[in-house]
Amino acid sequence: MTGLVRRYGPVLTGVILLLVATWLVLLVVLPQLLMVDFSLRPMLPPSKAGGPEDVYTLGNYATLWTNRIHLSIFLKTVWASALVTLVTLAVCYPVAYYLAQVAPKRRLPTLVLMLVVPFWINELLRTFAWYIILAYNGPLNLALVWLGVWTEPQRLLGGDVGVIVGMVYVYILFMVFPMYNAMESLDRNQIEAARDLGAGWARIHRRIVVPHAKPGIAVGCIMTFMLAAGSYAVPALLGGPQSRWFTEVIYNWFFEGGNWNQGAAYAFILLVLCVGFILLMMRLFRVGLADIAK
C-alpha cells in the first residue's frame, strides 16, 4: 500500500482501490452471495415467495447425494478433470522447459507466437475442429487405419476420450505459460553444474527444475482443473449421454428445468470443489498465495 501511494499519489491510489473494490463487490461478491441465497431456498411459485414455506433449507444440497445419477456425474467430473490436469501437465512440462531453458532467444518469439495464434480463434470453433478430427470418418481415424494401428475406424466422439482430448488442447496455454514463467527465472548454471557433477536428466528435473517451478506448476494445475471442471462447451460438443459433465447438469437445472435454486446449489458445490482443489495444490506443492501471485 505504501508503495502504491508513493508511486501514484494518495488521490490516484484511492481511485484505483475504489475501482478494484467496486469490481470485486459487483462482479464477485454479490453474485456469489445471491447464488448462496438461492441455493438455500426451495423453488416456490412467485405467489408463495416470502411466505411461511419460503425458509432456508439444505434440501437442494441433499438432492445431489440422493440422486445417484447426478452424484455419479459429479464424481466422474472430478476424476476426469484431474485426469485432464495430469495429461496437460505431462504434455506441457517439456514444452515449457524447452521454451524457458533450451530454445534460442532469437527463436523464442516465433515459438511463442506459434502457440498463441491458434488460440486467437474462438473456443467453440476450436472445439468444432476437434469434432471433425475425431469423427468416425475423420482424418485421425483414417490416418490410424492407414498406419495399421487398428483395422477399422473407432468411435472417439460421444465418450470421455474425445472430451479429455479436446480439453487438453483447449486449456494447454493455461498450463504452459505459468510453468514457463517459473522456469525462465531458473539459472542455467545450476543445471550445468548438476550435469557436470554426474546427475542425470531425471535427477536434474527432480531436484532442481521441479522445485524451482513449483509455483508455476501449482498455478497451471489450478487453472486447468478449474477450467476443466467448469467447462460446458467442450463436453457438450465432443461428449454424449455417457460422458455428461456436471456443468451440463447445472445448465439443465437453470435453463431446462427452470429450477434456479437447485442449479445454484449444484453450482456452489462445484465452487467448493474448485476451492478445495486450490488448497490441495497449495499444500501439495508447499506454496502460498504470494508464491502463486508471482
Side-chain angles (χ1 to χ4, degrees), residues 127-147:
T127 306
F128 269 122
W130 276 103
Y131 186 90
I132 296 173
I133 293 172
L134 298 174
Y136 185 78
N137 290 320
L140 180 60
N141 260 319
L142 295 177
L144 293 176
V145 170
W146 182 75
L147 292 173

Side-chain angles (χ1 to χ4, degrees), residues 30-44 54-64 250 253-254 259-272:
L30 288 181
Q32 298 301 329
L33 292 177
L34 186 61
M35 181 178 69
V36 173
D37 182 69
F38 264 89
S39 69
L40 293 173
R41 294 178 181 274
M43 188 185 73
L44 298 172
D54 192 4
V55 295
Y56 286 116
T57 175
L58 295 176
N60 293 322
Y61 291 92
T63 301
L64 178 62
I250 296 174
W253 277 122
F254 273 104
N259 192 338
W260 284 39
N261 306 85
Q262 188 65 65
Y266 277 22
F268 188 74
I269 291 173
L270 185 61
L271 175 63
V272 171

Side-chain angles (χ1 to χ4, degrees), residues 112 129 138 176 221 251 261:
V112 173
V176 167
C221 290
Y251 179 91
N261 306 85

Side-chain angles (χ1 to χ4, degrees), residues 77-86 89 175 217-229 269-285 287 292:
T77 300
V78 174
W79 76 257
S81 299
L83 180 60
V84 168
T85 304
L86 289 175
L89 175 62
M175 183 70 78
I217 296 175
V219 172
C221 290
I222 288 170
M223 295 182 68
T224 304
F225 180 87
M226 293 181 65
L227 289 169
I269 291 173
L270 185 61
L271 175 63
V272 171
L273 168 67
C274 292
V275 173
F277 185 81
I278 293 174
L279 298 177
L280 175 63
M281 289 295 102
M282 291 174 61
R283 185 175 182 82
L284 180 63
F285 289 98
V287 296
I292 292 177

Side-chain angles (χ1 to χ4, degrees), residues 64 67 69-78 81 228-232 235 243-253 262-271 273:
L64 178 62
N67 190 317
I69 296 177
H70 289 178
L71 181 59
S72 64
I73 293 174
F74 174 74
L75 296 176
K76 194 278 299 284
T77 300
V78 174
S81 299
S231 176
Y232 176 79
S243 61
R244 294 185 68 195
W245 222 248
F246 195 61
T247 47
E248 297 179 88
V249 178
I250 296 174
Y251 179 91
N252 291 339
W253 277 122
Q262 188 65 65
Y266 277 22
F268 188 74
I269 291 173
L270 185 61
L271 175 63
L273 168 67

